[in-house]
């Protein structure tokens, strides 16, 4: 064995059992220099890694797959507001500390203080705060959408008063007994280019009673997107579907039109046609190639009047009004919408279904043989 190599490794820094095992093996195979050198090289490499102040492997090691968002470095002089012990669901399901600086929002590991995910404020398009459905105790989900569709953040705050020991803030007044939701919104609005979006009862209230919190009005509708179940929220600036990966937000400017299908006695489907690319100029000839239809099924008929009022109020039932919605996003003068004819999409669907039944009845009459 090479004494030089053995002396280069400080075995005293190892746990006693591991130190004894390594020394025993190198002694057992003292005549096999290649094997001895291999063990000692491995031990020396581990020691070098441990000597790194942060305990990190060499830069050539592959990045952790669990981090879906790039951890952006925050300047040392960045002023932070923070809330500890928040439950995150996206990009990973774990409790983190939410930190908000002048340049970025980030989630940090409360044990290692390492950044698990981060996003620049300049890249945040929308932030939505909605009640978590079907919970006995009030909770609120914050959904953050960035310019990259695969970069999303979802975390939950309780509906209770904030714990003073969990909050750290600078230049942001917080009242005693203030709720987690309100404090979080104030922290976010301080930095967002577009304020946090919340449901407005003037837009929509569900007619279905909440079994978990009786007497409280619901602002969501249960629905399915294929086999994925979730909740639709009809918001002042668009429609949200959550809360399984990925979250989906349909801002008004991205909606071409909305219609209804499969109208049954107790349920109906909601079809949202959206643009698959940035809003095209009004002179674009073919709209079909630039849109796709997304179907949400099994919506309760009891909520149809509220949904239909919301859709008609925002002009989403009429594809001809999509030009105006695009114009608002592009900041140009769009075509003014015509007045609605008063016939909702569900009424149209029911009428068309009735016409088909009448046609079938007429065909049966023609084939009727009185004998």
């Amino acid at each position: 064995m090479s004494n030089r190599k053995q002396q280069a490794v400080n075995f005293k820094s190892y746990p006693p059992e591991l130190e004894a095992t390594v020394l025993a093996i190198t002694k057992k195979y003292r005549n096999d220099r290649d094997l001895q050198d291999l063990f000692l090289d491995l031990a020396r490499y581990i020691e070098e890694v441990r000597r790194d102040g942060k305990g990190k492997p060499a830069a050539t090691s592959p990045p952790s797959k669990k981090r879906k968002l790039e951890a952006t470095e925050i300047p040392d002089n960045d002023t932070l507001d923070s809330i500890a012990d928040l439950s995150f669901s996206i990009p990973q399901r774990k409790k983190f500390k939410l930190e908000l600086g002048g340049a970025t929002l980030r989630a940090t590991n409360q044990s290692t203080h390492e950044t698990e995910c981060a996003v620049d404020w300049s890249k945040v398009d929308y932030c939505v705060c909605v009640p978590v459905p079907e919970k006995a105790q009030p909770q609120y989900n914050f959904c953050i959408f960035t310019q990259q569709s695969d970069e999303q953040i979802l975390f939950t705050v309780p509906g209770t008063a904030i714990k003073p020991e969990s909050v750290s803030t600078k230049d942001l007044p917080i009242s005693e007994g203030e709720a987690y939701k309100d404090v979080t919104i104030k922290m976010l609005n301080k930095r967002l280019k577009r304020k946090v979006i919340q449901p407005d009862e003037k837009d929509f209230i569900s007619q279905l009673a909440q079994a978990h919190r009786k007497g409280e009005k619901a602002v969501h509708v249960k629905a399915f997107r294929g086999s994925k179940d979730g909740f639709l929220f009809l918001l002042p600036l668009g429609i949200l579907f959550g809360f399984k990966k990925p979250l989906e937000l349909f801002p008004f400017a991205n909606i071409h039109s909305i219609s209804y299908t499969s109208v049954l006695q107790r349920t109906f489907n909601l079809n949202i046609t959206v643009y698959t690319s940035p809003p095209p100029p009004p002179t674009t000839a073919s709209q079909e190639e630039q849109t796709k239809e997304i179907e949400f099924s099994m919506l309760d008929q009891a909520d149809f009047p509220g949904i239909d009022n919301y859709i008609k109020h925002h002009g989403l039932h009429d594809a001809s009004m999509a030009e105006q919605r695009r114009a608002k996003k592009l900041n140009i003068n769009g075509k003014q919408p015509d007045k609605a004819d008063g016939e909702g999409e569900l009424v149209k669907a029911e009428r068309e279904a009735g016409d088909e039944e009448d046609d079938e009845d007429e065909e049966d009459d023609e084939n009727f043989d009185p004998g």
Side-chain angles (χ1 to χ4, degrees):
M1 178 197 285
S2 170
N3 290 331
R4 181 181 58 81
K5 278 201 170 186
Q6 187 173 7
Q7 291 171 359
V9 180
N10 181 18
F11 288 110
K12 298 299 182 183
S13 65
Y14 284 63
E17 300 83 359
L18 182 59
E19 177 188 358
T21 301
V22 173
L23 291 174
I25 291 177
T26 54
K27 183 177 180 181
K28 181 178 179 180
Y29 296 97
R30 58 181 176 271
N31 295 326
D32 190 335
R33 288 196 172 185
D34 290 338
L35 190 57
Q36 289 181 30
D37 289 347
L38 174 61
F39 273 105
L40 291 172
D41 285 341
L42 287 172
R44 188 169 55 183
Y45 172 74
I46 293 172
E47 186 178 342
E48 289 175 356
V49 171
R50 294 178 65 184
R51 277 201 297 264
D52 183 352
K54 295 182 180 179
K56 295 180 180 178
T60 54
S61 299
S64 172
K65 290 184 178 180
K66 69 180 181 180
R67 298 182 188 174
K68 293 198 68 178
L69 303 187
E70 182 179 355
T72 306
E73 291 296 328
I74 298 182
D76 293 336
N77 61 356
D78 192 53
T79 301
L80 290 176
D81 296 328
S82 66
I83 305 178
D85 295 319
L86 293 185
S87 297
F88 281 69
S89 300
I90 300 175
Q92 55 178 305
R93 193 174 294 275
K94 193 174 180 180
K95 277 200 171 184
F96 292 121
K97 182 179 183 181
L98 176 70
E99 294 186 335
L100 303 94
T104 57
L105 173 152
R106 66 179 181 180
T108 60
N109 188 305
Q110 297 178 135
S111 299
T112 65
H113 306 291
E114 290 186 352
T115 300
E116 296 293 335
C117 67
V119 62
D120 292 341
W121 292 115
S122 60
K123 296 181 180 178
V124 176
D125 270 347
Y126 297 94
C127 179
V128 178
C129 173
V130 293
V132 181
E134 301 181 352
K135 295 288 183 182
Q137 299 299 322
Q139 298 178 3
Y140 297 89
N141 276 343
F142 282 83
C143 314
I144 295 176
F145 298 86
T146 70
Q147 295 168 4
Q148 301 295 323
S149 59
D150 60 340
E151 291 187 354
Q152 301 176 341
I153 295 177
L154 171 62
F155 63 89
T156 306
V157 303
T160 57
I162 204 152
K163 298 177 181 177
E165 65 272 16
S166 69
V167 180
S168 174
T169 181
K170 295 182 180 179
D171 304 323
L172 184 68
I174 297 178
S175 305
E176 184 178 353
E178 197 165 359
Y180 270 95
K181 182 191 79 166
D182 298 332
V183 172
T184 307
I185 289 176
K186 285 201 301 188
M187 289 180 173
L188 290 167
N189 281 345
K190 214 169 104 175
R191 299 165 171 88
L192 289 170
K193 59 186 177 184
R194 184 183 283 116
K195 302 301 182 184
V196 175
I197 303 169
Q198 300 183 72
D200 187 341
E201 292 185 0
K202 294 178 182 178
D203 271 319
F204 175 78
I205 298 176
S206 175
Q207 298 303 305
L208 298 176
Q210 291 202 85
H212 297 76
R213 297 202 296 273
K214 293 182 179 179
E216 186 174 321
K217 297 175 181 178
V219 291
H220 65 271
V221 180
K222 293 184 70 171
F224 285 82
R225 169 119 151 73
S227 60
K228 182 170 72 172
D229 62 320
F231 305 94
L232 285 168
F233 291 85
L234 310 182
L235 304 169
L237 294 180
I239 298 175
L240 169 71
F241 182 68
F243 294 99
K244 296 180 180 178
K245 296 181 183 180
L247 302 172
E248 292 185 283
L249 180 66
F250 308 102
F252 291 155
N254 293 349
I255 296 176
H256 178 264
S257 60
I258 296 180
S259 60
Y260 306 101
T261 57
S262 301
V263 180
L264 305 176
Q265 184 177 359
R266 295 184 179 179
T267 63
F268 64 96
N269 295 354
L270 188 72
N271 291 34
I272 303 178
T273 302
V274 297
Y275 290 102
T276 56
S277 57
T283 55
T284 303
S286 174
Q287 298 288 352
E288 293 184 2
E289 295 179 357
Q290 301 167 2
T291 62
K292 69 174 180 179
E293 188 175 78
I294 300 172
E295 183 179 63
F296 296 96
S297 61
M298 301 297 291
L299 280 70
D300 197 295
Q301 275 278 6
D303 280 328
F304 169 75
I307 295 173
D308 194 49
N309 286 338
Y310 170 86
I311 290 172
K312 291 168 68 176
H313 174 72
H314 292 288
L316 304 175
H317 64 299
D318 189 349
S320 66
M321 297 171 69
E323 183 178 327
Q324 185 192 33
R325 292 192 293 274
R326 294 199 307 275
K328 286 182 180 179
K329 184 170 184 178
L330 294 173
N331 196 26
I332 60 175
N333 294 322
K335 175 185 175 183
Q336 294 299 317
D338 297 329
K339 292 183 179 180
D341 58 9
E343 185 181 44
E345 287 293 333
L346 182 61
V347 176
K348 290 181 181 178
E350 289 177 336
R351 176 174 52 76
E352 291 170 359
D355 291 343
E356 291 179 2
E357 290 180 0
D358 292 342
D359 292 342
E360 291 177 0
D361 291 342
E362 290 178 4
E363 185 177 343
D364 289 340
D365 291 341
E366 292 176 0
N367 296 331
F368 176 67
D369 183 1

